[in-house]
Amino acid sequence: MRLLLAEDARLVREPLVHALQRAGWAVDVAADGEHALELALSVAYDAVVLDIMLPALDGLSVLREIRAASCGVPVVLLTARSDVRDRVRGLNMGADDYLPKPFHVQELIARLGAVTRRHAAAPTQTFEACGLVLDPVARQLVGPRASIGLTGKEALILEALMRRAGGVVPRRVIEEAAWGAGPGSPGRLEAQISSLRTKLGKAGAHARIETVRGVGYVLREASNA
């Protein structure tokens, strides 16, 4: 199970990461709202824990953008605000649950278990962009000519690109989507992109993955390139 923790306070964030990892979660961290939104829209998370008081972009704005992008990932809000109106706003904007600070980490873990169980009972989400359909669970790419099986990494990378089709996805975001945070081996992303380009061709896709040198990659309709 993979989780995004968006929390700017290091003294809160670090103990939470350790506790969540002990509970079996793979945890990615964002210390500001812009990074949190970038990751949430590009990576297939099982849940997001989102502090309302984030720098750069506040947590409620991040939540609004996540839901505006039709991303249904379960979101648990953390808030130090005592005003119940902020909690109501968050729930009305699509949060699945919230916890006021201070809280016990075991309660957060229990609430995460509850929201992910509800989410798992929902129908499987597929992604459509540029004339392609991706089933990330079955790792299946459906194009105009054929249905092609993908490896786990290929499916994660293509999902990150399809979530933001037509827009440049930074290299760092794609690598975090496929491998998580941390240093990686040189050339690993290029090898996966090369394989995906071949499979797009086999599927008869009218789309291509373009390299934006020094930045990342973009998936776009070939006719619009």
Side-chain angles (χ1 to χ4, degrees), residues 100-157:
K101 295 179 180 179
F103 57 86
H104 196 288
V105 68
Q106 292 303 319
E107 182 178 3
L108 173 60
I109 291 170
R111 288 174 182 262
L112 284 170
V115 298
T116 53
R117 285 192 297 272
R118 292 197 298 269
H119 185 71
T124 301
Q125 183 179 13
T126 59
F127 297 91
E128 298 186 31
C130 301
L132 301 170
V133 178
L134 171 67
D135 183 335
V137 176
R139 299 175 183 173
Q140 202 74 15
L141 169 66
V142 181
R145 185 187 306 150
S147 179
I148 305 292
L150 303 177
T151 67
K153 298 302 183 191
E154 288 170 347
L156 290 169
I157 291 167

Side-chain angles (χ1 to χ4, degrees), residues 18-83:
H18 295 149
L20 289 164
Q21 288 174 336
R22 287 195 300 270
W25 289 90
V27 183
D28 292 344
V29 171
D32 64 69
E34 290 182 350
H35 190 201
L37 180 60
E38 190 176 65
L39 288 175
L41 294 182
S42 304
V43 180
Y45 289 109
D46 296 290
V48 174
V49 177
L50 185 61
D51 185 27
I52 286 182
M53 299 293 288
L54 288 172
L57 191 66
D58 68 85
L60 291 179
S61 296
V62 174
L63 175 62
R64 181 185 301 110
E65 293 300 319
I66 288 174
R67 294 302 185 236
S70 299
C71 177
V73 63
V75 175
V76 177
L77 294 176
L78 303 180
T79 174
R81 294 175 173 175
S82 58
D83 192 341

Side-chain angles (χ1 to χ4, degrees), residues 167-179:
V168 178
V169 185
R171 179 190 184 92
R172 171 177 56 87
V173 171
I174 300 173
E175 290 189 325
E176 288 183 5
W179 289 280

Side-chain angles (χ1 to χ4, degrees), residues 80-93:
R81 294 175 173 175
S82 58
D83 192 341
V84 69
R85 290 174 295 183
D86 290 317
R87 302 175 194 173
V88 171
R89 280 183 65 205
L91 292 171
N92 287 339
M93 289 167 59

